[in-house]
Amino acid sequence: MNRNKSFENNKPLIYLIATPIGNLGEMSKRALEVLEDMDVIAAEDTRNTYSLLSHYGIKKELFSLREHNEIEASEHLLRLAKNGKKVAYVSDAGYPGISDPGYLLVKKAREEGVAVSTVSGSCAFINALVASGLPTDHFYFYGFLSKKGNEAKKALEQLVDRSETLLFYESPHQIEETIKLLFGVFGDRKCVIARELTKLNEEYISGTLSELVKIDFKTIKGEIVLVLEGQSQENVLISDEKIQEKLKFYMSLGVTEKAAIQIAVAELQVPKNRVYKLAQELK
Ligand code: SAM
């Protein structure tokens, strides 16, 4: 066990400071005060952080702590903290450690008894979730899916039975593929594309996946969070037997297996991969 008070005199402390996800106005008074008070700031991208600090007239010594040098740079920051320097870490946007570097730094700090404290700010998936209209009581944040289609599909299949609202980070280059993949794996669930949050072109596109696959994806630009409805109670309650009965019924009418699967998915609103597996079991 390790109890560690964040604010005790002369104890080494690392601040993790959340930065705006688009709108520069979302920098709190406290974040600016803490940044101003630091001796050294580690940044995911020193140029970005330099511009952010310059915007607020703050001049500080910066060094880079990014994915490629995360271990060495984290050790350097910890050494500075232990030598009595006031230090902080900021990533490019939002919270460090959320689809950004930071975790290894914090893990090492905790292991070595160095205190870690956060300065709050925006986080893209929290903004998207709370404004999506999908349930906020329980949620599951996945982050970025693999760019390899088969790996992404496997990861999604693991999430099919989760009842929580699901959250993904996505890029405009992958969004079309991902929406199609979500439709294939999850069936016709509700989904919200939340893009350019806090910026001038902020937009929420809500619909079912069968509607969203028809979007003109050229219009889906900028930064994106996908918010997907969890497995609904009705879906959970539809038993395997009921799905197989439906398949057998349509196949007995002479419909092909493929068409029977499509009909069952549409009628029962259950994920296609579940119906497909149950159709294989009938053979
Ligand atoms: N650390 C950040 C956070 O706390 O949200 C996330 C950093 S991650 C590298 C960047 C991804 O977050 C983007 O590709 C996008 O999926 C999402 N994102 C960041 N800013 C966003 C915004 N303004 N609107 C929508 N999504 C955003």
Side-chain angles (χ1 to χ4, degrees), residues 59 72 185:
K59 218 169 159 49
E72 311 88 80
V185 173

Side-chain angles (χ1 to χ4, degrees), residues 21-22 91 93-96 98-100 122-125 144 169-171 194-199 223-225:
I21 57 166
S91 64
Y95 274 84
I98 299 296
S99 299
D100 267 345
S122 32
C123 173
F125 80 80
F144 286 103
Y169 281 166
E170 195 44 277
S171 79
R195 64 176 200 97
E196 294 292 84
L197 302 175
T198 76
K199 304 184 208 176
E223 298 191 282
I224 300 165
V225 182

Side-chain angles (χ1 to χ4, degrees), residues 107-126:
K107 181 171 177 278
K108 210 154 176 36
R110 293 277 174 216
E111 282 165 2
E112 298 183 13
V114 172
V116 181
S117 185
T118 51
V119 176
S120 320
S122 32
C123 173
F125 80 80
I126 296 289

Side-chain angles (χ1 to χ4, degrees), residues 2-18:
N2 183 354
R3 286 179 71 161
N4 203 343
K5 285 208 166 191
S6 297
F7 309 112
E8 273 178 344
N9 276 345
N10 302 325
K11 236 180 71 180
L13 167 67
I14 290 178
Y15 278 105
L16 299 177
I17 304 179

Side-chain angles (χ1 to χ4, degrees), residues 53-210:
L53 296 184
S54 301
H55 182 81
Y56 289 102
I58 299 174
K59 218 169 159 49
K60 289 287 153 184
E61 183 185 331
L62 299 178
F63 77 91
S64 149
L65 191 167
R66 58 190 200 285
E67 209 183 325
H68 300 297
N69 71 351
E70 202 171 348
I71 294 175
E72 311 88 80
S74 297
E75 282 166 358
H76 181 55
L77 194 66
L78 282 167
R79 265 195 307 275
L80 290 174
K82 287 180 188 169
N83 288 337
K85 297 280 185 205
K86 294 179 179 174
V87 300
Y89 179 58
V90 295
S91 64
D92 274 356
Y95 274 84
I98 299 296
S99 299
D100 267 345
Y103 163 66
L104 292 180
L105 168 68
V106 176
K107 181 171 177 278
K108 210 154 176 36
R110 293 277 174 216
E111 282 165 2
E112 298 183 13
V114 172
V116 181
S117 185
T118 51
V119 176
S120 320
S122 32
C123 173
F125 80 80
I126 296 289
N127 283 36
L129 172 68
V130 296
S132 67
L134 290 172
T136 55
D137 48 354
H138 302 288
F139 59 87
Y140 181 95
F141 171 65
Y142 185 86
F144 286 103
L145 286 161
S146 166
K147 288 196 175 73
K148 293 185 186 142
N150 52 344
E151 282 177 18
K153 185 163 180 269
K154 268 194 206 142
L156 290 173
E157 283 168 354
Q158 304 290 314
L159 303 177
V160 163
D161 293 328
R162 297 202 79 107
S163 58
E164 305 96 329
T165 298
L166 304 171
L167 292 135
F168 303 92
Y169 281 166
E170 195 44 277
S171 79
H173 318 290
Q174 285 277 121
I175 182 75
E176 180 167 5
E177 287 307 304
T178 300
I179 292 287
K180 286 179 180 162
L181 198 54
L182 292 179
F183 187 37
V185 173
F186 293 90
D188 204 14
R189 289 196 195 176
K190 287 183 197 147
C191 182
V192 178
I193 300 175
R195 64 176 200 97
E196 294 292 84
L197 302 175
T198 76
K199 304 184 208 176
L200 212 59
N201 290 321
E202 176 174 298
E203 184 179 28
Y204 286 83
I205 308 167
S206 320
T208 59
L209 285 167
S210 64

